[in-house]
Amino acid sequence: MNTESFNNKVVLITGAAGGFGTLLAKHLSTAGAKLVLSDRNEQGLTELRKKLSGDPANITTQTCDVTAETEVAALVSTAVENYGRLDIAINNAGMSTPMKLLIDTTEEELDLNFAVNTKGVFFGMKYQIRQMLTQGEGIILNVASKAGLGGAPKLTSYAAAKHAVVGITKTAALEYAKKNIRVNAICPYFSPTPMVTEGMDDSLQDMLAKASPMKRLGTPDEMVTAMLMLINPENSYLNGQAIAVDGAASAL
């Protein structure tokens, strides 16, 4: 993939201290992007910054709880104050509560999934789009899930929140397409990032791998390759899509 398109682009990533966010930051830093990286984990951000190969002046880190609208707004303001604009935003921060049947799911678990996975994306888009409207262009990628495209047994609240992400992605794409703002979502199958591996034992991961038509989980690198394709400025007519990267699981 041609990564020259990212040179000098201002890119904001939430949930940057682990999983897909860290891999994205590494790729984009190498490509010459100006990065605004956020996470709740301040130490993780500090460690990530040390690992990046780009010009330190082009790397800004800021703690942000995506469930707090004021903190999300401040993050976008930091991007503009430091670099003058916001070209690409990746709403990657997410979480999941322990797997359980719908009838055993608590209101607190439902609220937490919607607070992080849905409201976090909504708040991000609200302020990212406002800035992009002043520029006349912009690219947004929301990290949803295959669970946002179909049923996900024992992940009711997570699936509901990720379906909502797909819905607001498509709605925003329609609202702002004529303003040259592209909004897409990626819908990965289970991938061995910390969010997955910390919540599942090996036997469950093995079961999920066997459930995939490709008989394995997708690697984080495979997911990030697709994400880079979706945010590439040259990919300028791809808009309003929820792209499944799932080894054909959604084709069943």
Side-chain angles (χ1 to χ4, degrees):
M1 177 182 295
N2 177 20
T3 58
E4 293 181 1
S5 299
F6 297 115
N7 188 44
N8 286 321
K9 295 295 184 182
V10 180
V11 184
L12 182 155
I13 305 173
T14 66
F20 302 149
T22 291
L23 283 175
L24 279 167
K26 290 178 178 178
H27 281 287
L28 292 166
S29 182
T30 300
K34 298 176 180 178
L35 300 177
V36 180
L37 307 173
S38 79
D39 202 285
R40 290 188 302 174
N41 181 355
E42 185 174 7
Q43 182 178 351
L45 286 174
T46 300
E47 293 173 357
L48 172 59
R49 187 183 185 109
K50 295 175 183 177
K51 298 175 183 177
L52 299 180
S53 60
D55 183 348
N58 289 339
I59 302 169
T60 297
T61 59
Q62 182 168 316
T63 55
C64 177
D65 178 352
V66 297
T67 70
E69 183 172 1
T70 55
E71 292 190 27
V72 176
L75 184 65
V76 174
S77 294
T78 293
V80 178
E81 290 167 4
N82 287 9
Y83 304 118
R85 58 186 292 115
L86 176 61
D87 297 300
I88 301 168
I90 304 163
N91 295 306
N92 169 68
M95 56 75 64
S96 179
T97 47
M99 298 180 75
K100 58 179 64 176
L101 293 170
L102 184 151
I103 60 173
D104 298 319
T105 301
T106 66
E107 181 179 5
E108 289 76 17
E109 289 166 335
L110 184 67
D111 288 344
L112 182 58
N113 272 276
F114 271 90
V116 177
N117 295 324
T118 304
K119 288 174 66 176
V121 170
F122 171 80
F123 290 151
M125 292 172 65
K126 180 176 179 179
Y127 294 95
Q128 293 153 10
I129 290 172
R130 285 182 178 179
Q131 172 58 31
M132 290 172 179
L133 286 171
T134 70
Q135 303 166 183
E137 62 181 349
I139 298 167
I140 295 174
L141 177 63
N142 298 323
V143 179
S145 170
K146 180 187 175 296
L149 298 174
K154 296 188 177 181
L155 287 170
T156 301
S157 53
Y158 180 79
K162 291 298 189 178
H163 270 77
V165 170
V166 171
I168 60 179
T169 295
K170 294 187 175 187
T171 299
L174 289 170
E175 289 182 344
Y176 299 103
K178 65 183 178 182
K179 299 296 186 180
N180 203 28
I181 298 173
R182 294 195 298 114
V183 188
N184 291 293
I186 184 171
C187 300
Y189 189 61
F190 292 99
S191 182
T193 62
M195 188 179 87
V196 171
T197 58
E198 290 173 5
M200 299 180 184
D201 59 29
D202 290 344
S203 62
L204 180 54
Q205 291 183 55
D206 185 57
M207 182 190 74
L208 292 170
K210 290 177 179 177
S212 165
M214 294 183 73
K215 304 305 178 187
R216 66 177 179 85
L217 301 181
T219 69
D221 282 315
E222 288 173 318
M223 303 303 170
V224 168
T225 295
M227 295 170 80
L228 291 169
M229 178 272 292
L230 287 165
I231 63 171
N232 194 312
E234 295 182 1
N235 203 1
S236 52
Y237 204 58
L238 180 61
N239 195 15
Q241 302 303 305
I243 303 297
V245 185
D246 64 0
S250 58
L252 291 170

